[in-house]
Amino acid sequence: MAERVIVLGGGIIGLSCAFEALRLGYDVTVIEPEAFGGQASGAAAGMLAPFTENPEQPDPFFRLCLESLKLYPSWLADIEAASGCRADLLQTGSLTVALHEADLLPLQTRLAWQRPFGSGAELVEGERLRRMEPQLAANALAAVYTPRESHVYAPALVAALEKACRKLGARLVDHAGGIQAPDLFSTKGIRIETSACGSHDGDRLVVCSGAWAGHYAASFGFPIPVHPIRGQICSFDVSFGEVRHMVFSSQAYWVGKRNGTLVCGASEDVAGFDRTVTERGIDRLVRWGPRVLPFLDGREPIDRWAGLRPATRDGWPLIGPIPGREDVILAAGHYRNGILLSPATGALVGRMLAGKAQSDEARCFAPDRFAALHSRRGR
Ligand SMILES: Cc1cc2nc3c(=O)[nH]c(=O)nc-3n(C[C@H](O)[C@H](O)[C@H](O)COP(=O)(O)OP(=O)(O)OC[C@H]3O[C@@H](n4cnc5c(N)ncnc54)[C@H](O)[C@@H]3O)c2cc1C
């Protein structure tokens, strides 16, 4: 009989880990307290932008993002083939716009160190920039064009992943209500009790509960410093192709979707687990828009929503077995890049489930790295 893997959390990370486990032949159950993709994953802008998101240095996090981008096309093709659904990958490239002289130096620095990593990026200005993105403000000095960056429609990707997992035989338990943290110290194997959908037994556990990962700290016996950072985001009704690239500026970004919406994000505010959309959060995005894309002047968003990014203390995700229990794996804390990092996270968790050796690089994301820090400081 195949080993039974229970995945807790039905966001993109949980579903990606489930998809990988199914492909490796495990018997998989995914348990979600509410609706699949109903939290951060369904709220995301869907950008796959490792170069723009990592302007500082080529650290292990940047390399993980890059690896994930490389995996995306074939991973997505497998999901689309298994599900019969499209996730709307658009290979638009991105433009990071400089409106002031002071913005140029950091962009040039970024260009220089990222080139050896295959960014293919270049600085574009003047007439060429206007031709590439006709709606851009006339006072935009220059932009870094990064052709390898792309985006997906995140709600469609989550729906496709859910369907692919179902087709591959997963038990998908949504609206499970409260999930009791398992008592790992007094039981053998894994038993998960839920308030609305009974109990579920497994041999291995993968915890992918996003911003709620800290819920399991006491039961797992080590600190899990993941906290929610609210992202407020909105969309405008435009024509498809009116904004051709993903456009980034210092205060906001814009992503044109195939359905004719232009998604504009996103705030970063600390509001606990509150997902309310505030006037202040959205107003800032609406006011900033015409400075970069003047055609947005006077336009009101047609939709506005918010999600809770799972943030960690060092900005890197927690991916790996918990101390002393190889059968319990944590995959959470993907902060601003969970959509991008899904294929790489699924692949890492798959290797861990299969008992394969982890690389030194992968160990940088060990979930207990903060606990280790605490005890070193305590000595
Ligand atoms: C506005 C916004 C824009 C973003 N844009 C991008 C982008 O362009 N590109 C990108 O790569 N990333 C983006 N992100 C980040 C990305 O959305 C997240 O990193 C990613 O969705 C995290 O996935 P997750 O599955 O860990 O979390 P979630 O999607 O939040 O899923 C976690 C799940 O766990 C469930 N849960 C809650 N409590 C428990 C419990 N006790 N036990 C088990 N499960 C539980 C929740 O109901 C939820 O469904 C954006 C985020 C936001 C908010």
Side-chain angles (χ1 to χ4, degrees):
M1 201 176 80
E3 264 197 306
R4 296 162 306 169
V5 173
I6 294 185
V7 177
L8 292 182
I12 192 147
I13 298 299
L15 291 169
S16 303
C17 293
F19 183 62
E20 195 60 27
L22 287 158
R23 296 203 288 180
L24 291 170
Y26 293 96
D27 171 293
V28 176
T29 303
V30 185
I31 305 177
E32 160 60 43
E34 297 178 18
F36 289 112
Q39 297 290 344
S41 303
M47 298 178 296
L48 311 178
F51 298 103
T52 307
E53 280 287 319
N54 290 279
E56 305 291 341
Q57 55 189 335
D59 56 18
F61 180 69
F62 166 71
R63 287 192 287 272
L64 185 70
C65 290
L66 209 54
E67 171 64 17
S68 212
L69 183 72
K70 278 192 204 133
L71 295 174
Y72 236 91
S74 66
W75 180 75
L76 207 57
D78 291 349
I79 292 166
E80 291 182 340
S83 66
C85 300
R86 302 294 306 270
D88 261 344
L89 176 70
L90 288 178
Q91 193 66 55
T92 56
S94 70
L95 291 170
T96 305
V97 178
L99 294 177
H100 308 286
E101 288 288 340
D103 299 337
L104 277 174
L105 185 61
L107 289 185
Q108 276 158 343
T109 310
R110 179 192 132 187
L111 263 182
W113 75 255
Q114 289 186 345
R115 266 204 199 108
F117 292 91
S119 68
E122 54 181 319
L123 200 68
V124 184
E125 45 201 339
E127 232 352 85
R128 183 162 169 231
L129 181 57
R130 314 282 157 242
R131 274 200 311 277
M132 284 177 74
E133 197 59 79
Q135 295 290 5
L136 211 54
N139 64 340
L141 291 182
V144 170
Y145 169 51
T146 310
R148 288 187 55 204
E149 297 193 325
S150 52
H151 60 97
V152 289
Y153 187 52
L157 173 55
V158 174
L161 253 178
E162 181 190 338
K163 199 160 175 195
C165 288
R166 206 181 289 281
K167 285 253 173 88
L168 294 183
R171 264 177 304 281
L172 298 180
V173 183
D174 56 357
H175 301 288
I179 296 177
Q180 203 179 318
D183 183 352
L184 297 180
F185 298 102
S186 67
T187 54
K188 271 198 162 179
I190 310 286
R191 166 157 290 200
I192 299 297
E193 312 268 3
T194 72
S195 65
C197 295
S199 64
H200 302 266
D201 292 315
D203 307 302
R204 320 282 289 274
L205 183 65
V206 185
V207 177
C208 306
S209 50
W212 294 264
H215 175 71
Y216 295 96
S219 146
F220 293 176
F222 73 101
I224 304 179
V226 176
H227 58 277
I229 297 287
R230 182 170 62 185
Q232 300 187 51
I233 181 164
C234 61
S235 66
F236 297 89
D237 189 15
V238 301
S239 328
F240 177 52
E242 196 154 8
V243 177
R244 298 174 180 172
H245 304 84
M246 289 187 283
V247 175
F248 293 92
S249 73
S250 60
Q251 304 293 317
Y253 56 75
W254 297 266
V255 192
K257 299 294 176 185
R258 198 186 292 280
N259 63 6
T261 58
L262 182 68
V263 173
C264 171
S267 73
E268 288 196 39
D269 44 70
V270 180
F273 288 91
D274 182 2
R275 280 200 304 155
T276 311
V277 178
T278 65
E279 276 305 313
R280 193 157 170 247
I282 299 295
D283 260 17
R284 197 183 57 79
L285 300 173
V286 173
R287 272 188 285 112
W288 186 257
R291 295 198 205 178
V292 181
L293 296 167
F295 83 104
L296 290 177
D297 195 20
R299 298 225 192 169
E300 282 298 314
I302 53 161
D303 202 0
R304 37 190 93 197
W305 65 96
L308 302 175
R309 301 180 190 90
T312 62
R313 204 180 296 164
D314 57 7
W316 294 5
L318 311 173
I319 309 170
I322 70 167
R325 289 289 298 250
E326 292 294 317
D327 55 341
V328 180
I329 295 169
L330 186 63
H334 293 70
Y335 192 37
R336 293 168 56 96
N337 286 288
I339 307 296
L340 168 63
L341 287 170
S342 293
T345 303
L348 277 177
V349 168
R351 286 182 64 84
M352 288 167 194
L353 285 171
K356 292 194 177 149
Q358 289 181 58
S359 66
D360 287 345
E361 190 107 332
R363 270 192 276 271
C364 295
F365 305 106
D368 62 336
R369 59 185 184 271
F370 303 107
L373 204 68
H374 273 300
S375 61
R376 273 203 299 278
R377 281 202 187 122
R379 264 188 264 148

